[in-house]
Amino acid sequence: MMCFIELIIAIGFYPTLLFLSARAISIGIPEPLPTTLFTILGACSVIGRTTHGVIIDRKVLTAPQGLAIGLICCGLVNIFSIFSSSYIGLAIAYAIFGLCNGMYHPLLTVVQKEFVGAQRLPQSQGICHLFRAIGGLIGTPLTGFIFDASRSYSACYLYSGCLLFIDGFIIAVVSCVRKRQSATATSAEG
């Protein structure tokens, strides 16, 4: 399951970065402002990476919930960013994307450990990284094909956003099912 999740994340995530600057230029944002969107996204990603632990440690969210919310938010940002036609709109959207990206990337390993256990984590990491690499190799050319076919960056971001949203939804559902199974097993034992 984690391999499939990693594959879909990679297919949906990397095109966001690949086309961000070109998309900003295509909607009329003058140089060099489009490249500053990467700085905003990156800085907010660092903030997300350094603060997500507090949220998880204080039990505000579980790791799977944080991962699901992060992916769903990234997907929604990509989907709704197609309506933005200004630098400020894109800057706000990709600041949110950076925060959510910074939250979900570190949680991938934590959730993977919860799914497969500590004993099988090293093997699982290797296989999941392979699937992430395959997703990266597939996602960018596939999104390029979508751009070539539609001549629209909006179609690319809609596609990418839907993938990230669906992946977050899958994680949320699997997490709820696993929690319910765990509760049922615990009540059956007691």
Side-chain angles (χ1 to χ4, degrees), residues 5-29:
I5 289 168
E6 292 267 6
L7 178 74
I8 301 303
I9 287 172
I11 290 172
F13 174 74
Y14 294 114
T16 300
L17 301 178
L18 178 68
F19 292 125
L20 184 57
S21 183
R23 178 168 173 249
I25 291 168
S26 77
I27 61 173
I29 297 173

Side-chain angles (χ1 to χ4, degrees), residues 62-81:
T62 65
Q65 288 170 337
L67 178 60
I69 289 170
L71 285 168
I72 288 170
C73 287
C74 284
L76 290 174
V77 165
N78 274 354
I79 291 167
F80 288 112
S81 73

